Amino acid sequence: MIKIAVLGYGTVGSGVVEVIDKNIDSITRRIGEEIEVKYVLDLRDFPGDRVESILVHDFDVILNDPEVRIVVEVMGGVEPAYTFVKKCLLAGKSVCTSNKELVASHGPELIKIAREGNNNFLFEASVGGAIPVIRPINSSLTADRILEIKGILNGTTNYILTQMSTQGWEFEDALHKAQELGYAERNPEADIEGYDACRKIAILSSLAFGHNVDYTKVHTEGITGITSTDICYAAAMDSAIKLLASSYCEDGRYYAMVAPFVVHSSHPLYAVSGVYNAIFVKGTDIGDVMFYGSGAGKLPTACAVVADVVDAAKHLGRHIYTSWSQEDLTLTGIDDATRSFYVRIAGKREALEDAVRKEFGDVKFISIKEDPDGFAIVTPPVIERSFKEHIANIPGVTSYIRMEGSSAS
Ligand code: HSE
C-alpha cells in the first residue's frame, strides 16, 4: 500500500480525492499496488465530507510521516507551496503538482532536488489541464529539435472569448460564468491579464529548449482590452480573437510572448473553443504535432495530477530525468518580429485614408455597422518596432491586435 497526502482541498484537491476513490481498481491495476490517501491538508474543516477523518491542519504531520511516499500539492500560489514541496522532496517524498506558479518560479531547482534525492517532482497538470503535453515533450518528442510551440493555454480566456463571440455576451458576464464553472484562478487577473498563459508557455519552452525561460521576461498581454466591437470586426474578417501563447527559435534567437491574435477560420486554432486548449509543437523533422483537450476544470485537471501519482508510484526511489537547466535562456524582444496588424481607427475613412496609406501603403479597409464612427485596417507584414512608429503618425488609432499567420516564424 502506497500512502499519499494531498495539500489543499479546493477544486483540484477535491477532484484528486474523487478520481482516486472512483478509479481505485484501475489505478491499482496500473501501478501494481494499491494507493491510499492518508491525509488531506487544509486550513478549513469539512464536517460530513469524505475527508473529515483524514483532514489535518498541520503540515508537519505529513512531512514527518515516513509512510507518506507521494505528496500532491494543489494549493496554488508560490507560498507556502514552495516551502512545503521543497521540504517534502528533501525528506525523500515525491511530489505531484498542478501549480504552474510554483513550477514556473522554482521548477529547475525542485527538479534538481528530486534528482539528487532519487525521487520525482512531476507537474503534468500545470499546463493544459487534462492534455498530456509535458510528458510527450520530455519523452516522445526528444529525438527531434523543437523549433516552436504555439497554442491556446488558458481555458478561462478561451471560454470568455468564445462566449463573447457566439453568445454576444459582454466580457464581465462571460468571466463570472467562467468563475462559476470553476475554470478561473482564485484571482481572475492571472487568467485575463495573460499571466497564467505566460507561466505555462515559460514551462513548456523551458522543457522544449532545455534552459530556463524566465516567465517575467515573456512579453505578456491579456484580453481585458478586447471589446465586442473587436469581436465583430474579427467576424467580418471570417476570424476569431484568441489569446495565443508562443515561443520559437529562429537563427539561434529565442522569442516568447502571450497576446491576443486575430485567427482566421482556416487556422486549426480557430476551431478551439470554450475551455479547450490546443498546443502545436513544431520540430525540425516531426513537423507539427498538435495536442488538444480540456484545459481547465476540476476533474480533467485532477486526472492529470493522479496520472502523475501513478507515475511516481511506479518509480519510487527512481528519478525520471527531466532536462530543464537552471541557466536562463536569453529571449529576444518581440519588436524584431514581422507580422500584420489589425488596427482600429476612430474617424471617417475618407478623411484618414491618405494618412493610413502614407504609413502602410496597401492596406485592407474594413467597415462594420457596429462601429459607425470608425473603421479598421489590416496592415501588410511589418516589423513590430516600425509598426509602432507608423501608427503614432495616424490620428485616431484606438487599438490594435496582431494577426496570426503573418509572423516571420
Ligand atoms: N485558470 C486556468 C485556465 C486553469 O483557465 O486555464 C487551468 O490551468
mmCIF file with all atom_site columns, all heavy atoms in Angstrom, residues 98 100 125-129 153-158 182-186 190-191 196-197 200 275 277 295-297 301, ligand 1:
data_model
loop_
_atom_site.group_PDB
_atom_site.id
_atom_site.type_symbol
_atom_site.label_atom_id
_atom_site.label_alt_id
_atom_site.label_comp_id
_atom_site.label_asym_id
_atom_site.label_entity_id
_atom_site.label_seq_id
_atom_site.pdbx_PDB_ins_code
_atom_site.Cartn_x
_atom_site.Cartn_y
_atom_site.Cartn_z
_atom_site.occupancy
_atom_site.B_iso_or_equiv
_atom_site.pdbx_formal_charge
_atom_site.auth_seq_id
_atom_site.auth_comp_id
_atom_site.auth_asym_id
_atom_site.auth_atom_id
_atom_site.pdbx_PDB_model_num
ATOM   1   N N   . SER A 1 98  ? -0.154  20.650 -9.657  1.00 0.00 ? 98  SER A N   1
ATOM   2   C CA  . SER A 1 98  ? -0.821  21.306 -10.786 1.00 0.00 ? 98  SER A CA  1
ATOM   3   C C   . SER A 1 98  ? -0.493  22.803 -10.775 1.00 0.00 ? 98  SER A C   1
ATOM   4   O O   . SER A 1 98  ? -1.061  23.566 -11.537 1.00 0.00 ? 98  SER A O   1
ATOM   5   C CB  . SER A 1 98  ? -2.347  21.137 -10.655 1.00 0.00 ? 98  SER A CB  1
ATOM   6   O OG  . SER A 1 98  ? -2.780  21.769 -9.452  1.00 0.00 ? 98  SER A OG  1
ATOM   7   N N   . LYS A 1 100 ? 1.161   25.898 -11.585 1.00 0.00 ? 100 LYS A N   1
ATOM   8   C CA  . LYS A 1 100 ? 2.090   26.476 -12.579 1.00 0.00 ? 100 LYS A CA  1
ATOM   9   C C   . LYS A 1 100 ? 2.894   27.636 -12.045 1.00 0.00 ? 100 LYS A C   1
ATOM   10  O O   . LYS A 1 100 ? 4.000   27.900 -12.507 1.00 0.00 ? 100 LYS A O   1
ATOM   11  C CB  . LYS A 1 100 ? 1.367   26.885 -13.858 1.00 0.00 ? 100 LYS A CB  1
ATOM   12  C CG  . LYS A 1 100 ? 0.173   27.772 -13.648 1.00 0.00 ? 100 LYS A CG  1
ATOM   13  C CD  . LYS A 1 100 ? -1.074  27.023 -13.967 1.00 0.00 ? 100 LYS A CD  1
ATOM   14  C CE  . LYS A 1 100 ? -2.217  27.486 -13.127 1.00 0.00 ? 100 LYS A CE  1
ATOM   15  N NZ  . LYS A 1 100 ? -3.441  26.764 -13.419 1.00 0.00 ? 100 LYS A NZ  1
ATOM   16  N N   . ALA A 1 125 ? -0.094  18.405 -14.807 1.00 0.00 ? 125 ALA A N   1
ATOM   17  C CA  . ALA A 1 125 ? -1.345  19.179 -14.727 1.00 0.00 ? 125 ALA A CA  1
ATOM   18  C C   . ALA A 1 125 ? -1.101  20.685 -14.701 1.00 0.00 ? 125 ALA A C   1
ATOM   19  O O   . ALA A 1 125 ? -2.064  21.459 -14.742 1.00 0.00 ? 125 ALA A O   1
ATOM   20  C CB  . ALA A 1 125 ? -2.122  18.772 -13.477 1.00 0.00 ? 125 ALA A CB  1
ATOM   21  N N   . SER A 1 126 ? 0.157   21.106 -14.668 1.00 0.00 ? 126 SER A N   1
ATOM   22  C CA  . SER A 1 126 ? 0.405   22.550 -14.595 1.00 0.00 ? 126 SER A CA  1
ATOM   23  C C   . SER A 1 126 ? 0.160   23.238 -15.934 1.00 0.00 ? 126 SER A C   1
ATOM   24  O O   . SER A 1 126 ? -0.022  24.444 -15.993 1.00 0.00 ? 126 SER A O   1
ATOM   25  C CB  . SER A 1 126 ? 1.833   22.829 -14.103 1.00 0.00 ? 126 SER A CB  1
ATOM   26  O OG  . SER A 1 126 ? 2.771   22.368 -15.047 1.00 0.00 ? 126 SER A OG  1
ATOM   27  N N   . VAL A 1 127 ? 0.155   22.482 -17.024 1.00 0.00 ? 127 VAL A N   1
ATOM   28  C CA  . VAL A 1 127 ? -0.093  23.067 -18.358 1.00 0.00 ? 127 VAL A CA  1
ATOM   29  C C   . VAL A 1 127 ? -1.135  22.230 -19.078 1.00 0.00 ? 127 VAL A C   1
ATOM   30  O O   . VAL A 1 127 ? -1.003  21.005 -19.171 1.00 0.00 ? 127 VAL A O   1
ATOM   31  C CB  . VAL A 1 127 ? 1.194   23.091 -19.216 1.00 0.00 ? 127 VAL A CB  1
ATOM   32  C CG1 . VAL A 1 127 ? 0.906   23.712 -20.580 1.00 0.00 ? 127 VAL A CG1 1
ATOM   33  C CG2 . VAL A 1 127 ? 2.313   23.841 -18.510 1.00 0.00 ? 127 VAL A CG2 1
ATOM   34  N N   . GLY A 1 128 ? -2.182  22.884 -19.561 1.00 0.00 ? 128 GLY A N   1
ATOM   35  C CA  . GLY A 1 128 ? -3.133  22.202 -20.441 1.00 0.00 ? 128 GLY A CA  1
ATOM   36  C C   . GLY A 1 128 ? -4.118  21.272 -19.752 1.00 0.00 ? 128 GLY A C   1
ATOM   37  O O   . GLY A 1 128 ? -4.735  20.451 -20.418 1.00 0.00 ? 128 GLY A O   1
ATOM   38  N N   . GLY A 1 129 ? -4.285  21.403 -18.425 1.00 0.00 ? 129 GLY A N   1
ATOM   39  C CA  . GLY A 1 129 ? -5.282  20.583 -17.719 1.00 0.00 ? 129 GLY A CA  1
ATOM   40  C C   . GLY A 1 129 ? -5.082  19.105 -18.015 1.00 0.00 ? 129 GLY A C   1
ATOM   41  O O   . GLY A 1 129 ? -4.044  18.529 -17.704 1.00 0.00 ? 129 GLY A O   1
ATOM   42  N N   . LEU A 1 153 ? -3.472  28.286 -24.212 1.00 0.00 ? 153 LEU A N   1
ATOM   43  C CA  . LEU A 1 153 ? -3.065  27.631 -22.958 1.00 0.00 ? 153 LEU A CA  1
ATOM   44  C C   . LEU A 1 153 ? -3.918  28.043 -21.773 1.00 0.00 ? 153 LEU A C   1
ATOM   45  O O   . LEU A 1 153 ? -3.638  27.622 -20.654 1.00 0.00 ? 153 LEU A O   1
ATOM   46  C CB  . LEU A 1 153 ? -1.590  27.951 -22.651 1.00 0.00 ? 153 LEU A CB  1
ATOM   47  C CG  . LEU A 1 153 ? -0.554  27.421 -23.638 1.00 0.00 ? 153 LEU A CG  1
ATOM   48  C CD1 . LEU A 1 153 ? 0.853   27.760 -23.165 1.00 0.00 ? 153 LEU A CD1 1
ATOM   49  C CD2 . LEU A 1 153 ? -0.693  25.917 -23.789 1.00 0.00 ? 153 LEU A CD2 1
ATOM   50  N N   . ASN A 1 154 ? -4.899  28.896 -21.991 1.00 0.00 ? 154 ASN A N   1
ATOM   51  C CA  . ASN A 1 154 ? -5.742  29.301 -20.871 1.00 0.00 ? 154 ASN A CA  1
ATOM   52  C C   . ASN A 1 154 ? -7.204  29.072 -21.209 1.00 0.00 ? 154 ASN A C   1
ATOM   53  O O   . ASN A 1 154 ? -7.757  29.687 -22.126 1.00 0.00 ? 154 ASN A O   1
ATOM   54  C CB  . ASN A 1 154 ? -5.484  30.777 -20.525 1.00 0.00 ? 154 ASN A CB  1
ATOM   55  C CG  . ASN A 1 154 ? -6.282  31.209 -19.306 1.00 0.00 ? 154 ASN A CG  1
ATOM   56  O OD1 . ASN A 1 154 ? -7.384  31.728 -19.421 1.00 0.00 ? 154 ASN A OD1 1
ATOM   57  N ND2 . ASN A 1 154 ? -5.748  30.949 -18.114 1.00 0.00 ? 154 ASN A ND2 1
ATOM   58  N N   . GLY A 1 155 ? -7.837  28.158 -20.457 1.00 0.00 ? 155 GLY A N   1
ATOM   59  C CA  . GLY A 1 155 ? -9.223  27.796 -20.735 1.00 0.00 ? 155 GLY A CA  1
ATOM   60  C C   . GLY A 1 155 ? -10.192 28.917 -20.427 1.00 0.00 ? 155 GLY A C   1
ATOM   61  O O   . GLY A 1 155 ? -11.173 29.129 -21.152 1.00 0.00 ? 155 GLY A O   1
ATOM   62  N N   . THR A 1 156 ? -9.915  29.658 -19.356 1.00 0.00 ? 156 THR A N   1
ATOM   63  C CA  . THR A 1 156 ? -10.839 30.720 -18.940 1.00 0.00 ? 156 THR A CA  1
ATOM   64  C C   . THR A 1 156 ? -10.970 31.793 -20.020 1.00 0.00 ? 156 THR A C   1
ATOM   65  O O   . THR A 1 156 ? -12.082 32.175 -20.394 1.00 0.00 ? 156 THR A O   1
ATOM   66  C CB  . THR A 1 156 ? -10.332 31.357 -17.625 1.00 0.00 ? 156 THR A CB  1
ATOM   67  O OG1 . THR A 1 156 ? -10.246 30.321 -16.654 1.00 0.00 ? 156 THR A OG1 1
ATOM   68  C CG2 . THR A 1 156 ? -11.258 32.447 -17.145 1.00 0.00 ? 156 THR A CG2 1
ATOM   69  N N   . THR A 1 157 ? -9.839  32.280 -20.524 1.00 0.00 ? 157 THR A N   1
ATOM   70  C CA  . THR A 1 157 ? -9.912  33.336 -21.535 1.00 0.00 ? 157 THR A CA  1
ATOM   71  C C   . THR A 1 157 ? -10.489 32.807 -22.841 1.00 0.00 ? 157 THR A C   1
ATOM   72  O O   . THR A 1 157 ? -11.213 33.514 -23.541 1.00 0.00 ? 157 THR A O   1
ATOM   73  C CB  . THR A 1 157 ? -8.529  33.967 -21.782 1.00 0.00 ? 157 THR A CB  1
ATOM   74  O OG1 . THR A 1 157 ? -7.568  32.915 -21.898 1.00 0.00 ? 157 THR A OG1 1
ATOM   75  C CG2 . THR A 1 157 ? -8.144  34.896 -20.667 1.00 0.00 ? 157 THR A CG2 1
ATOM   76  N N   . ASN A 1 158 ? -10.185 31.539 -23.158 1.00 0.00 ? 158 ASN A N   1
ATOM   77  C CA  . ASN A 1 158 ? -10.751 30.989 -24.387 1.00 0.00 ? 158 ASN A CA  1
ATOM   78  C C   . ASN A 1 158 ? -12.267 30.848 -24.249 1.00 0.00 ? 158 ASN A C   1
ATOM   79  O O   . ASN A 1 158 ? -13.015 31.113 -25.190 1.00 0.00 ? 158 ASN A O   1
ATOM   80  C CB  . ASN A 1 158 ? -10.109 29.645 -24.728 1.00 0.00 ? 158 ASN A CB  1
ATOM   81  C CG  . ASN A 1 158 ? -10.224 29.334 -26.203 1.00 0.00 ? 158 ASN A CG  1
ATOM   82  O OD1 . ASN A 1 158 ? -9.944  30.188 -27.036 1.00 0.00 ? 158 ASN A OD1 1
ATOM   83  N ND2 . ASN A 1 158 ? -10.679 28.140 -26.530 1.00 0.00 ? 158 ASN A ND2 1
ATOM   84  N N   . GLY A 1 182 ? -15.753 27.084 -12.311 1.00 0.00 ? 182 GLY A N   1
ATOM   85  C CA  . GLY A 1 182 ? -14.516 26.614 -11.685 1.00 0.00 ? 182 GLY A CA  1
ATOM   86  C C   . GLY A 1 182 ? -13.305 26.633 -12.600 1.00 0.00 ? 182 GLY A C   1
ATOM   87  O O   . GLY A 1 182 ? -12.295 25.999 -12.319 1.00 0.00 ? 182 GLY A O   1
ATOM   88  N N   . TYR A 1 183 ? -13.373 27.389 -13.717 1.00 0.00 ? 183 TYR A N   1
ATOM   89  C CA  . TYR A 1 183 ? -12.242 27.435 -14.645 1.00 0.00 ? 183 TYR A CA  1
ATOM   90  C C   . TYR A 1 183 ? -11.210 28.470 -14.205 1.00 0.00 ? 183 TYR A C   1
ATOM   91  O O   . TYR A 1 183 ? -10.014 28.290 -14.378 1.00 0.00 ? 183 TYR A O   1
ATOM   92  C CB  . TYR A 1 183 ? -12.684 27.825 -16.056 1.00 0.00 ? 183 TYR A CB  1
ATOM   93  C CG  . TYR A 1 183 ? -13.727 26.927 -16.667 1.00 0.00 ? 183 TYR A CG  1
ATOM   94  C CD1 . TYR A 1 183 ? -14.668 27.426 -17.556 1.00 0.00 ? 183 TYR A CD1 1
ATOM   95  C CD2 . TYR A 1 183 ? -13.753 25.566 -16.376 1.00 0.00 ? 183 TYR A CD2 1
ATOM   96  C CE1 . TYR A 1 183 ? -15.617 26.610 -18.139 1.00 0.00 ? 183 TYR A CE1 1
ATOM   97  C CE2 . TYR A 1 183 ? -14.708 24.741 -16.949 1.00 0.00 ? 183 TYR A CE2 1
ATOM   98  C CZ  . TYR A 1 183 ? -15.640 25.275 -17.827 1.00 0.00 ? 183 TYR A CZ  1
ATOM   99  O OH  . TYR A 1 183 ? -16.577 24.465 -18.406 1.00 0.00 ? 183 TYR A OH  1
ATOM   100 N N   . ALA A 1 184 ? -11.713 29.586 -13.682 1.00 0.00 ? 184 ALA A N   1
ATOM   101 C CA  . ALA A 1 184 ? -10.828 30.726 -13.426 1.00 0.00 ? 184 ALA A CA  1
ATOM   102 C C   . ALA A 1 184 ? -9.954  30.483 -12.199 1.00 0.00 ? 184 ALA A C   1
ATOM   103 O O   . ALA A 1 184 ? -10.293 29.707 -11.314 1.00 0.00 ? 184 ALA A O   1
ATOM   104 C CB  . ALA A 1 184 ? -11.664 31.987 -13.238 1.00 0.00 ? 184 ALA A CB  1
ATOM   105 N N   . GLU A 1 185 ? -8.810  31.154 -12.174 1.00 0.00 ? 185 GLU A N   1
ATOM   106 C CA  . GLU A 1 185 ? -7.945  31.122 -10.997 1.00 0.00 ? 185 GLU A CA  1
ATOM   107 C C   . GLU A 1 185 ? -8.646  31.877 -9.869  1.00 0.00 ? 185 GLU A C   1
ATOM   108 O O   . GLU A 1 185 ? -9.575  32.643 -10.100 1.00 0.00 ? 185 GLU A O   1
ATOM   109 C CB  . GLU A 1 185 ? -6.612  31.811 -11.313 1.00 0.00 ? 185 GLU A CB  1
ATOM   110 C CG  . GLU A 1 185 ? -5.812  31.114 -12.393 1.00 0.00 ? 185 GLU A CG  1
ATOM   111 C CD  . GLU A 1 185 ? -5.429  29.703 -11.993 1.00 0.00 ? 185 GLU A CD  1
ATOM   112 O OE1 . GLU A 1 185 ? -4.829  29.507 -10.936 1.00 0.00 ? 185 GLU A OE1 1
ATOM   113 O OE2 . GLU A 1 185 ? -5.750  28.783 -12.751 1.00 0.00 ? 185 GLU A OE2 1
ATOM   114 N N   . ARG A 1 186 ? -8.127  31.700 -8.613  1.00 0.00 ? 186 ARG A N   1
ATOM   115 C CA  . ARG A 1 186 ? -8.725  32.411 -7.472  1.00 0.00 ? 186 ARG A CA  1
ATOM   116 C C   . ARG A 1 186 ? -8.778  33.899 -7.766  1.00 0.00 ? 186 ARG A C   1
ATOM   117 O O   . ARG A 1 186 ? -9.736  34.586 -7.481  1.00 0.00 ? 186 ARG A O   1
ATOM   118 C CB  . ARG A 1 186 ? -7.881  32.162 -6.216  1.00 0.00 ? 186 ARG A CB  1
ATOM   119 C CG  . ARG A 1 186 ? -8.251  30.902 -5.491  1.00 0.00 ? 186 ARG A CG  1
ATOM   120 C CD  . ARG A 1 186 ? -7.387  30.707 -4.291  1.00 0.00 ? 186 ARG A CD  1
ATOM   121 N NE  . ARG A 1 186 ? -5.965  30.755 -4.656  1.00 0.00 ? 186 ARG A NE  1
ATOM   122 C CZ  . ARG A 1 186 ? -4.982  30.523 -3.816  1.00 0.00 ? 186 ARG A CZ  1
ATOM   123 N NH1 . ARG A 1 186 ? -5.236  30.251 -2.573  1.00 0.00 ? 186 ARG A NH1 1
ATOM   124 N NH2 . ARG A 1 186 ? -3.728  30.571 -4.216  1.00 0.00 ? 186 ARG A NH2 1
ATOM   125 N N   . ALA A 1 190 ? -5.005  36.687 -13.076 1.00 0.00 ? 190 ALA A N   1
ATOM   126 C CA  . ALA A 1 190 ? -3.995  35.777 -13.626 1.00 0.00 ? 190 ALA A CA  1
ATOM   127 C C   . ALA A 1 190 ? -4.431  35.220 -14.979 1.00 0.00 ? 190 ALA A C   1
ATOM   128 O O   . ALA A 1 190 ? -3.608  35.019 -15.867 1.00 0.00 ? 190 ALA A O   1
ATOM   129 C CB  . ALA A 1 190 ? -3.738  34.627 -12.646 1.00 0.00 ? 190 ALA A CB  1
ATOM   130 N N   . ASP A 1 191 ? -5.719  34.984 -15.142 1.00 0.00 ? 191 ASP A N   1
ATOM   131 C CA  . ASP A 1 191 ? -6.215  34.484 -16.422 1.00 0.00 ? 191 ASP A CA  1
ATOM   132 C C   . ASP A 1 191 ? -6.335  35.618 -17.429 1.00 0.00 ? 191 ASP A C   1
ATOM   133 O O   . ASP A 1 191 ? -5.748  35.562 -18.507 1.00 0.00 ? 191 ASP A O   1
ATOM   134 C CB  . ASP A 1 191 ? -7.605  33.846 -16.229 1.00 0.00 ? 191 ASP A CB  1
ATOM   135 C CG  . ASP A 1 191 ? -7.551  32.585 -15.396 1.00 0.00 ? 191 ASP A CG  1
ATOM   136 O OD1 . ASP A 1 191 ? -6.841  31.650 -15.795 1.00 0.00 ? 191 ASP A OD1 1
ATOM   137 O OD2 . ASP A 1 191 ? -8.217  32.546 -14.346 1.00 0.00 ? 191 ASP A OD2 1
ATOM   138 N N   . ASP A 1 196 ? -1.325  33.611 -16.396 1.00 0.00 ? 196 ASP A N   1
ATOM   139 C CA  . ASP A 1 196 ? -1.407  32.149 -16.315 1.00 0.00 ? 196 ASP A CA  1
ATOM   140 C C   . ASP A 1 196 ? -0.810  31.510 -17.586 1.00 0.00 ? 196 ASP A C   1
ATOM   141 O O   . ASP A 1 196 ? 0.035   30.612 -17.506 1.00 0.00 ? 196 ASP A O   1
ATOM   142 C CB  . ASP A 1 196 ? -2.883  31.748 -16.136 1.00 0.00 ? 196 ASP A CB  1
ATOM   143 C CG  . ASP A 1 196 ? -3.083  30.251 -16.117 1.00 0.00 ? 196 ASP A CG  1
ATOM   144 O OD1 . ASP A 1 196 ? -2.788  29.633 -15.086 1.00 0.00 ? 196 ASP A OD1 1
ATOM   145 O OD2 . ASP A 1 196 ? -3.533  29.699 -17.136 1.00 0.00 ? 196 ASP A OD2 1
ATOM   146 N N   . ALA A 1 197 ? -1.227  32.028 -18.752 1.00 0.00 ? 197 ALA A N   1
ATOM   147 C CA  . ALA A 1 197 ? -0.695  31.501 -20.017 1.00 0.00 ? 197 ALA A CA  1
ATOM   148 C C   . ALA A 1 197 ? 0.807   31.759 -20.115 1.00 0.00 ? 197 ALA A C   1
ATOM   149 O O   . ALA A 1 197 ? 1.562   30.944 -20.651 1.00 0.00 ? 197 ALA A O   1
ATOM   150 C CB  . ALA A 1 197 ? -1.424  32.142 -21.195 1.00 0.00 ? 197 ALA A CB  1
ATOM   151 N N   . LYS A 1 200 ? 2.627   29.161 -18.240 1.00 0.00 ? 200 LYS A N   1
ATOM   152 C CA  . LYS A 1 200 ? 2.553   27.867 -18.937 1.00 0.00 ? 200 LYS A CA  1
ATOM   153 C C   . LYS A 1 200 ? 3.498   27.831 -20.144 1.00 0.00 ? 200 LYS A C   1
ATOM   154 O O   . LYS A 1 200 ? 4.168   26.819 -20.372 1.00 0.00 ? 200 LYS A O   1
ATOM   155 C CB  . LYS A 1 200 ? 1.113   27.599 -19.361 1.00 0.00 ? 200 LYS A CB  1
ATOM   156 C CG  . LYS A 1 200 ? 0.193   27.309 -18.163 1.00 0.00 ? 200 LYS A CG  1
ATOM   157 C CD  . LYS A 1 200 ? -1.268  27.309 -18.589 1.00 0.00 ? 200 LYS A CD  1
ATOM   158 C CE  . LYS A 1 200 ? -2.187  26.934 -17.449 1.00 0.00 ? 200 LYS A CE  1
ATOM   159 N NZ  . LYS A 1 200 ? -3.606  27.172 -17.770 1.00 0.00 ? 200 LYS A NZ  1
ATOM   160 N N   . VAL A 1 275 ? -13.594 25.994 -23.103 1.00 0.00 ? 275 VAL A N   1
ATOM   161 C CA  . VAL A 1 275 ? -12.499 25.832 -22.148 1.00 0.00 ? 275 VAL A CA  1
ATOM   162 C C   . VAL A 1 275 ? -11.369 24.962 -22.713 1.00 0.00 ? 275 VAL A C   1
ATOM   163 O O   . VAL A 1 275 ? -10.377 24.693 -22.042 1.00 0.00 ? 275 VAL A O   1
ATOM   164 C CB  . VAL A 1 275 ? -13.076 25.276 -20.834 1.00 0.00 ? 275 VAL A CB  1
ATOM   165 C CG1 . VAL A 1 275 ? -13.394 23.801 -20.972 1.00 0.00 ? 275 VAL A CG1 1
ATOM   166 C CG2 . VAL A 1 275 ? -12.181 25.555 -19.656 1.00 0.00 ? 275 VAL A CG2 1
ATOM   167 N N   . ASN A 1 277 ? -8.114  23.720 -24.716 1.00 0.00 ? 277 ASN A N   1
ATOM   168 C CA  . ASN A 1 277 ? -6.769  24.214 -25.030 1.00 0.00 ? 277 ASN A CA  1
ATOM   169 C C   . ASN A 1 277 ? -6.242  23.411 -26.216 1.00 0.00 ? 277 ASN A C   1
ATOM   170 O O   . ASN A 1 277 ? -6.691  22.280 -26.446 1.00 0.00 ? 277 ASN A O   1
ATOM   171 C CB  . ASN A 1 277 ? -5.792  23.965 -23.876 1.00 0.00 ? 277 ASN A CB  1
ATOM   172 C CG  . ASN A 1 277 ? -5.942  24.917 -22.697 1.00 0.00 ? 277 ASN A CG  1
ATOM   173 O OD1 . ASN A 1 277 ? -5.126  24.911 -21.790 1.00 0.00 ? 277 ASN A OD1 1
ATOM   174 N ND2 . ASN A 1 277 ? -6.984  25.732 -22.675 1.00 0.00 ? 277 ASN A ND2 1
ATOM   175 N N   . GLY A 1 295 ? -8.683  22.121 -21.052 1.00 0.00 ? 295 GLY A N   1
ATOM   176 C CA  . GLY A 1 295 ? -7.545  22.836 -20.480 1.00 0.00 ? 295 GLY A CA  1
ATOM   177 C C   . GLY A 1 295 ? -7.726  23.253 -19.039 1.00 0.00 ? 295 GLY A C   1
ATOM   178 O O   . GLY A 1 295 ? -6.791  23.726 -18.400 1.00 0.00 ? 295 GLY A O   1
ATOM   179 N N   . ALA A 1 296 ? -8.919  23.106 -18.509 1.00 0.00 ? 296 ALA A N   1
ATOM   180 C CA  . ALA A 1 296 ? -9.180  23.512 -17.129 1.00 0.00 ? 296 ALA A CA  1
ATOM   181 C C   . ALA A 1 296 ? -10.376 22.714 -16.630 1.00 0.00 ? 296 ALA A C   1
ATOM   182 O O   . ALA A 1 296 ? -10.990 21.964 -17.381 1.00 0.00 ? 296 ALA A O   1
ATOM   183 C CB  . ALA A 1 296 ? -9.455  25.008 -17.064 1.00 0.00 ? 296 ALA A CB  1
ATOM   184 N N   . GLY A 1 297 ? -10.675 22.897 -15.350 1.00 0.00 ? 297 GLY A N   1
ATOM   185 C CA  . GLY A 1 297 ? -11.819 22.184 -14.773 1.00 0.00 ? 297 GLY A CA  1
ATOM   186 C C   . GLY A 1 297 ? -11.356 21.159 -13.766 1.00 0.00 ? 297 GLY A C   1
ATOM   187 O O   . GLY A 1 297 ? -10.258 20.609 -13.869 1.00 0.00 ? 297 GLY A O   1
ATOM   188 N N   . THR A 1 301 ? -8.315  18.283 -14.692 1.00 0.00 ? 301 THR A N   1
ATOM   189 C CA  . THR A 1 301 ? -7.021  18.618 -14.078 1.00 0.00 ? 301 THR A CA  1
ATOM   190 C C   . THR A 1 301 ? -6.636  17.560 -13.041 1.00 0.00 ? 301 THR A C   1
ATOM   191 O O   . THR A 1 301 ? -5.478  17.132 -12.964 1.00 0.00 ? 301 THR A O   1
ATOM   192 C CB  . THR A 1 301 ? -7.087  20.023 -13.425 1.00 0.00 ? 301 THR A CB  1
ATOM   193 O OG1 . THR A 1 301 ? -7.607  20.939 -14.402 1.00 0.00 ? 301 THR A OG1 1
ATOM   194 C CG2 . THR A 1 301 ? -5.723  20.496 -12.965 1.00 0.00 ? 301 THR A CG2 1
HETATM 195 N N1  . HSE B 2 .   ? -7.317  29.104 -14.863 1.00 0.00 ? 1   HSE B N1  1
HETATM 196 C C1  . HSE B 2 .   ? -6.673  28.117 -15.662 1.00 0.00 ? 1   HSE B C1  1
HETATM 197 C C2  . HSE B 2 .   ? -7.265  28.157 -17.061 1.00 0.00 ? 1   HSE B C2  1
HETATM 198 C C3  . HSE B 2 .   ? -6.872  26.776 -15.021 1.00 0.00 ? 1   HSE B C3  1
HETATM 199 O O1  . HSE B 2 .   ? -8.310  28.764 -17.219 1.00 0.00 ? 1   HSE B O1  1
HETATM 200 O O2  . HSE B 2 .   ? -6.688  27.615 -17.985 1.00 0.00 ? 1   HSE B O2  1
HETATM 201 C C4  . HSE B 2 .   ? -6.065  25.688 -15.626 1.00 0.00 ? 1   HSE B C4  1
HETATM 202 O O3  . HSE B 2 .   ? -4.689  25.941 -15.541 1.00 0.00 ? 1   HSE B O3  1
#
